[in-house]
Amino acid sequence: MERLKGIGVSSGIAIGPALVAIQRTQVIRFPIAPDRVARELSALDRARARSRDQLVQIRERIAQLKGSDLAALFDAQLMMLDDPMLVGRAASVVCEERVNAEWAVQRALDEIAAIFNDVRDPYLHERKGDLHDVAGRLRMNLRDEKGGARDLLQDLDTPCVLIADELTPSVVAQLDWTRIRGFATDAGSRTYHTAILARSLGVPAAVGLHDVSLRIPPGASVIVDGDSGEVIIEPSPADWQEADARARIMKQQVAVPHAADGPVRSLDGVPVVLQANIERSEDVAAAIAAGAEGIGLYRSEFMLVGGPPDMAAEEEQYHVYRQLVERMAPRPVTIRTFDIDERQLARPLVDAALDARWFPEHDRTQRSGHAGLRGIRFGLAQPEILKTQVRALLRAAAHGSLRIMFPFVSSVHEVRTARVLVEEARAELRTRGIEAPAVPIGIMIEVPSAAFTAPLLAREVDFFTIGTNDLIQYTLAVDRMDERVSDRYQPLHPAVLRLLRAVRRGARRRGIPVSLCGEMASDPLFLRLLLGCGLTDFSMTPGALPMARRVVQETSIAEMVHVAAHVFTLGTVEEIDQYLRRAFDHPAEILK
Ligand code: PEP
Ligand code: MG
């Protein structure tokens, strides 16, 4: 028995045998039934054939564009594809170990890579990149084929717990969570999209466990506690019993309906708006059940993950947005334009814009959150993609209350350019005889430069939404995905609080509404402080709404204003944290 401690990010207990996804590749090892071996082998053959066709096409294209010397680079990859050490070895692994082909390709790759590592020849060293590229392509083609990993999951007769080094949001969005009871990962933090998605799916999850994926052998019994962040490997019978009993109690609690009707007021009568953050249109029901007064953040980029290949087309998007606003009506819906970067999974988009073949698969599935060409920057660099989305949004706005929000804004110039694109999109619709309604245009304040220039930005837009998940990481220079610095990710840092106050003041001076949609609001301690800072409009994961409702109803905002004023005189996170806890536990003492 071994206990590991991570960060609990999605409440609940998951118990079962471990399904282990190996390092950095998102390859999952599935044991397969004997009658499935032949199917896996033919899938491998077809993947090789498709990979070959793709490589030949790429070589021809490069030969046309840049000449045959450069095109010859792909001859090496074609040779690797035919080398028995790769596909041949993978086929043997499928037969000998009775495992899925994707895992077998990875095993063969690891074995060859180990040989390359020992070779000093620099030319051969460079070929290692080609080898990874070829293996990545093979795996991608295996995965794309119907009957890939998702199909194998249907064959699992025992539900399991997924253990991985890192799970990208796209993988989480695609897995069948009726078969997988929960997950634990080496990497991660509370605000990474994987954690956010787990909460919205109601899947128990613990992250930031450093090396859990290496410590747990496939098939070992595990318990993942999504509240304490603890993972128990090969638990004792007593641990089993306790976890099982707790899991039952939690299920009963979840089944209790939430008393969540109408707008909420603080103890001293101030109206507070509570809306939901969602990633999938199916989550509308959960948002309404939890009492959401609207959708404060729809992360539209999730729609592209695992969706049909033409999901980036205007018509498909229009139907999704229209359905969303109609189902929420008369409540408002704020839709954020795609917050992706060019390397992310959004295959339909990337294919359309950049030609996905130039991005090896592992690059496209990498974690997000980088300060590169993402959010509005990506939209402005690919105006046709942004305009397609805006046209779909403007059309959908005719069917309900819709607001458009741009992510990752860092300057007034970006906002002006984006607004010009909105007008162009509107004009394009007009030429098609469609007169779109006026739609509020807002921005996310999640980059320090935007927070510092809030009074200037407030002149350009109709509303602000503060994204503390990113704002904290960029203000404190702490990667929200890197578990080694997760203790430095401090929502109560004086710099963060000052920025929040500056944004609220900037918005108030111009009379535009400001809400906050970061995960910070779903913590009762932080929420009270935010109320004291003058923020009264929040959006959060639906699961946190009942808690937020209760906190608001029990909080006197006038008292919190005093508490917040004192907080702004304190110098460290520890002092602020201790003071807030005392203020909430013994208000009479603090407020006399
Ligand atoms: C944020 O940054 O706070 C936010 C809500 O956006 P995301 O978590 O999707 O980056
Ligand atoms: Mg963000």
Side-chain angles (χ1 to χ4, degrees), residues 193 196 297 299 336 444 446 467-470 480 517-518:
H193 282 166
I196 292 171
L297 168 64
R299 291 181 166 101
R336 164 169 94 181
M444 291 199 66
E446 50 186 349
T468 46
N469 300 344
D470 277 320
R480 74 197 231 198
C517 70

Side-chain angles (χ1 to χ4, degrees), residues 293-366:
E293 290 174 68
I295 300 300
L297 168 64
Y298 174 63
R299 291 181 166 101
S300 67
E301 63 277 7
F302 277 79
M303 194 170 74
L304 304 167
V305 174
D310 47 1
M311 206 54 240
E314 180 185 323
E315 208 53 29
E316 275 70 16
Q317 288 189 55
Y318 163 66
H319 285 295
V320 172
Y321 305 144
R322 177 176 172 173
Q323 218 183 32
L324 194 60
V325 292
E326 282 181 343
R327 288 171 69 191
M328 280 308 287
R331 306 172 191 86
V333 176
T334 302
I335 298 182
R336 164 169 94 181
T337 57
F338 302 139
D339 187 10
I340 48 160
D341 66 38
E342 77 280 16
R343 293 175 311 171
Q344 281 177 281
L345 183 66
R347 196 172 298 160
L349 273 187
V350 177
D351 279 349
L354 296 157
D355 190 343
R357 285 173 297 188
W358 298 105
F359 295 90
E361 203 212 9
H362 67 272
D363 275 357
R364 285 191 279 135
T365 53
Q366 261 180 4

Side-chain angles (χ1 to χ4, degrees), residues 361-378:
E361 203 212 9
H362 67 272
D363 275 357
R364 285 191 279 135
T365 53
Q366 261 180 4
R367 61 181 72 161
S368 64
H370 295 128
L373 192 63
R374 69 170 264 204
I376 197 171
R377 302 172 183 179
F378 180 72

Side-chain angles (χ1 to χ4, degrees), residues 552-575:
V552 169
Q553 284 165 338
E554 292 168 358
T555 301
S556 157
I557 291 187
E559 281 181 15
M560 280 315 115
V561 169
H562 287 292
V563 169
H566 185 69
V567 162
F568 277 92
T569 67
L570 300 174
T572 70
V573 172
E574 291 70 28
E575 285 166 2

Side-chain angles (χ1 to χ4, degrees), residues 165-192:
D165 60 334
E166 181 184 335
L167 276 180
T168 58
S170 57
V171 170
V172 171
Q174 282 177 301
L175 288 176
D176 175 0
W177 293 103
T178 59
R179 310 234 162 204
I180 303 176
R181 291 177 165 162
F183 67 84
T185 57
D186 298 351
S189 72
R190 243 194 104 65
T191 60
Y192 186 49

Side-chain angles (χ1 to χ4, degrees), residues 343-514:
R343 293 175 311 171
Q344 281 177 281
L345 183 66
R347 196 172 298 160
L349 273 187
V350 177
D351 279 349
L354 296 157
D355 190 343
R357 285 173 297 188
W358 298 105
F359 295 90
E361 203 212 9
H362 67 272
D363 275 357
R364 285 191 279 135
T365 53
Q366 261 180 4
R367 61 181 72 161
S368 64
H370 295 128
L373 192 63
R374 69 170 264 204
I376 197 171
R377 302 172 183 179
F378 180 72
L380 296 180
Q382 300 290 339
E384 285 314 316
I385 292 177
L386 183 60
K387 276 201 284 182
T388 302
Q389 185 173 25
V390 170
R391 283 196 306 272
L393 288 166
L394 290 173
R395 286 171 61 194
H399 302 276
S401 171
L402 185 152
R403 307 194 302 174
I404 298 176
M405 177 161 75
F406 293 115
F408 217 64
V409 167
S410 57
S411 72
V412 166
H413 177 73
E414 282 170 345
V415 177
R416 289 187 184 157
T417 316
R419 291 202 81 137
V420 170
L421 289 182
V422 172
E423 286 321 306
E424 284 176 17
R426 187 182 288 284
E428 284 162 11
L429 287 178
R430 203 168 286 136
T431 61
R432 284 158 45 188
I434 303 170
E435 197 54 53
V439 175
I441 306 284
I443 54 171
M444 291 199 66
I445 304 285
E446 50 186 349
V447 177
S449 60
F452 280 119
T453 52
L456 303 175
L457 286 164
R459 297 201 296 230
E460 312 284 332
V461 295
D462 302 311
F463 66 93
F464 282 165
T465 296
I466 306 174
T468 46
N469 300 344
D470 277 320
L471 188 59
I472 295 169
Q473 75 164 340
Y474 293 113
T475 302
L476 303 180
V478 172
D479 182 346
R480 74 197 231 198
M481 186 45 202
D482 188 339
E483 73 282 1
R484 292 164 306 171
V485 287
S486 58
D487 57 331
R488 287 165 197 240
Y489 186 92
Q490 297 168 322
L492 293 180
H493 193 292
V496 172
L497 299 180
R498 276 164 175 72
L499 278 186
L500 294 181
R501 187 172 61 176
V503 174
R504 190 195 59 81
R505 285 181 178 165
R508 179 163 294 181
R509 222 175 294 156
R510 281 279 150 191
I512 63 164
V514 56

